[in-house]
Structure formats: C-alpha cells, structure tokens
C-alpha cells in the first residue's frame, strides 16, 4: 500500500511538472519571451516567422504610402463607410426638441450617446 501511494505521488508530481513546463516550451519559438525585467518581455527577432517575403512587404508599404499612408488616418481623413443623410430639421428645431424632452427621453439619449 505504501509503495502505491509513493508511486501515485511521484506520478502526480511528474504530471504537474510537465503541465507547468508546457507554456514555456510553447513560447520558445515566439518573437517575444517573458523576462524578469521592467519591460516584462525580451524580443528575439530571429524567431519571427513571416509568410511574406521582404519584397512583398516593401510593395505593400509603397502601395500604402501612395494611397496616403497612415498620415491620412492621423489627419482624421478616415475612409467614408457610409454617406450620412442630410437632416430635414433646422438647428433651432433640434435645440427646441432637446429643451422640451422629458427626463426619461434625456436619460435614454444620454445612454445611447454613452455607448
């Protein structure tokens, strides 16, 4: 009986050690590895694997620059997803509606605006 308990304990300890070591082994071929420093990671560029060649990446970058690059996004010139419809109301009509709304309507509007 004692031998069976020792064997079970040893087996459980070996299984636990294997399970705890798996995440470290799985991360061994990634670009970032956990590190015990302020950054929390260390990069290994030689572990980076890409499905594109250097020429393909350069061609993509050149195309992006020709199309405005990220400066277009930084300037707030986002691609238009859909055209908005022009309102039929005047500014004063909208202001009057907001002034005359009930507390429940105001709460619903605030909730909708908050997301």
């Amino acid at each position: 009986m004692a031998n069976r308990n020792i064997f079970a304990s040893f087996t459980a300890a070996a299984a636990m050690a294997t399970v705890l070591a798996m995440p470290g082994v799985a991360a061994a071929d990634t670009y970032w590895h956990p590190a015990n420093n302020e950054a929390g990671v260390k990069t290994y560029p030689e572990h980076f694997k890409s499905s594109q060649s250097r020429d393909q990446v350069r061609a993509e970058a050149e195309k992006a620059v020709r199309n405005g690059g990220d400066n277009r996004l930084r300037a707030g010139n986002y691609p238009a997803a859909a055209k908005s419809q022009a309102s039929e109301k005047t500014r004063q009509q909208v202001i009057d509606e907001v002034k005359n709304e009930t507390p429940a309507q105001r709460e619903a509007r605030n909730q909708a605006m908050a997301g």
Side-chain angles (χ1 to χ4, degrees):
M1 237 1 178
N3 287 343
R4 195 177 282 182
N5 287 339
I6 291 172
F7 180 72
S9 297
F10 178 72
T11 304
M16 185 60 79
T18 303
V19 168
L20 291 175
M22 281 183 179
V25 172
D29 65 343
T30 59
Y31 182 68
W32 291 312
H33 296 268
N36 232 1
N37 59 18
E38 188 174 327
V41 295
K42 185 169 180 180
T43 59
Y44 291 88
E46 63 272 10
H47 292 179
F48 181 75
K49 295 180 179 102
S50 177
S51 62
Q52 294 180 322
S53 69
R54 183 180 299 265
D55 293 332
Q56 289 171 323
V57 172
R58 281 188 179 145
E60 265 185 33
E62 288 171 7
K63 181 180 176 185
V65 169
R66 279 194 306 271
N67 291 337
D70 67 342
N71 288 334
R72 178 177 57 158
L73 299 177
R74 289 181 191 186
N77 300 327
Y78 300 105
K83 297 284 183 184
S84 62
Q85 296 176 346
S87 176
E88 302 287 328
K89 299 177 184 178
T90 65
R91 177 182 291 266
Q92 191 59 46
Q93 287 172 326
V94 173
I95 291 171
D96 291 340
E97 282 182 10
V98 171
K99 284 182 180 177
N100 297 329
E101 68 187 0
T102 65
Q105 290 172 328
R106 183 175 299 118
E107 180 64 27
R109 180 177 49 83
N110 287 337
Q111 289 295 324
M113 302 258 313

